Amino acid sequence: MLRTGNPALKESTFRGVPRAVGEEAMTLQGTVNKTGLSLLILLAAAAFVWNSANPQLFVVMGLVGGLVTALVTVFKNTAAPVTTPLYAAFEGLLLGGVSLMFETRYPGIVINAVALTFGTLAVLLIAYSSGLIRPSENFKLGIFAATGAVGLLYLVSMVMGFFGKSIPFIHESGPIGIAFSLFVVGLAALNLVLDFDFIERGAAMGAPKYMEWVGAFGLLVTLVWLYLEILRLLAKLQDRRR
């Protein structure tokens, strides 16, 4: 069963998608190449915002643009060759602005978060490729359920924020807040494993070539989430030391 906690790569993604007959099919290497290109676009957009005088404007642009392109990609997979690079650019604007704001308050935090994010990606990719990690169905179900629970918790927290309320402890720099962030970082990292498995199965099914962009999009969604959670964790740890 194709199960992942990533909303961009869900069980129904390959349902109804015809096998590539008489045309190029989705491959693992093709997905890796398109993921790399998307990351380069994201980093270029983030670097542009890093040197801007008004990062808040780009955060809003990235948030809105990223949401729109993500929804289009999820509901119309055939548009992924266009929407995935656009999504990468918008997320670059968002992350560039957010990173600059964090860096202003916590000097040095961004380079550490970037290194930890790409380090986690590299380690898990090596572990998965070598066969050290192979997710079972129970493992997939557990990650799927935990990811959904965290998503629901964040949604409730956001709604409460509109009324000036917040869920206690989890957003603070105390032991509970740090433990929560560690859990979410670990959960985001494990979602990468499910993404790898999902993409590998899609390639084995002989999905059309454009599905490589869908796979790249899914990985990008998880990596953005992982980076933001690592950034929040490092900020809490620095607050704890002060």
Side-chain angles (χ1 to χ4, degrees):
M1 180 179 293
L2 295 173
R3 178 183 283 117
T4 171
N6 190 331
L9 300 178
K10 52 189 184 298
E11 183 180 348
S12 61
T13 299
F14 289 106
R15 189 181 299 155
V17 174
R19 291 178 61 90
V21 179
E23 60 178 293
E24 284 192 274
M26 175 183 183
T27 65
L28 291 177
Q29 187 59 52
T31 305
V32 169
N33 293 342
K34 290 172 176 60
T35 302
L37 177 59
S38 298
L39 285 172
L40 287 176
I41 294 172
L42 186 151
L43 291 173
F48 170 77
V49 177
W50 187 264
N51 297 307
S52 71
N54 189 8
Q56 292 85 353
L57 173 62
F58 291 108
V59 168
V60 175
M61 289 174 57
L63 188 62
V64 175
L67 177 61
V68 171
T69 51
L71 290 174
V72 173
T73 308
V74 168
F75 290 106
K76 189 174 177 57
N77 290 159
T78 54
V82 174
T83 57
T84 297
L86 286 174
Y87 174 79
F90 282 122
E91 289 302 294
L93 297 180
L94 172 65
L95 294 187
V98 171
S99 298
L100 184 56
M101 289 187 280
F102 268 87
E103 184 71 16
T104 300
R105 183 172 180 181
Y106 309 98
I109 192 174
V110 170
I111 187 63
N112 290 327
V114 170
L116 285 171
T117 300
F118 281 102
T120 300
L121 173 64
V123 169
L124 289 176
L125 184 57
I126 292 171
Y128 181 83
S129 300
S130 64
L132 291 176
I133 300 177
R134 285 292 170 178
S136 65
E137 288 303 319
N138 287 334
F139 176 86
K140 295 177 186 179
L141 182 60
I143 299 302
F144 178 80
T147 302
V150 169
L152 181 61
L153 186 66
Y154 279 167
L155 180 61
V156 171
S157 179
M158 183 176 66
V159 172
M160 290 176 65
F162 291 139
F163 300 96
K165 305 291 184 180
S166 64
I167 299 177
F169 305 119
I170 65 172
H171 299 301
E172 299 172 5
S173 58
I176 295 177
I178 291 174
F180 176 77
S181 285
L182 281 170
F183 170 76
V184 178
V185 166
L187 183 62
L190 290 176
N191 265 279
L192 284 174
V193 176
L194 299 195
D195 292 346
F196 299 153
D197 179 72
F198 191 89
I199 292 168
E200 183 179 49
R201 290 173 182 267
M205 290 170 60
K209 195 70 173 176
Y210 69 82
M211 292 300 293
E212 292 176 352
W213 284 106
V214 177
F217 168 71
L219 279 174
L220 210 58
V221 169
T222 304
L223 285 171
V224 168
W225 177 32
L226 177 62
Y227 170 74
L228 289 174
E229 294 297 343
I230 289 176
L231 204 57
R232 294 179 63 193
L233 172 61
L234 294 178
K236 289 180 180 180
L237 291 173
Q238 289 203 27
D239 283 338
R240 184 76 174 168
R241 297 191 192 102
R242 294 179 177 178

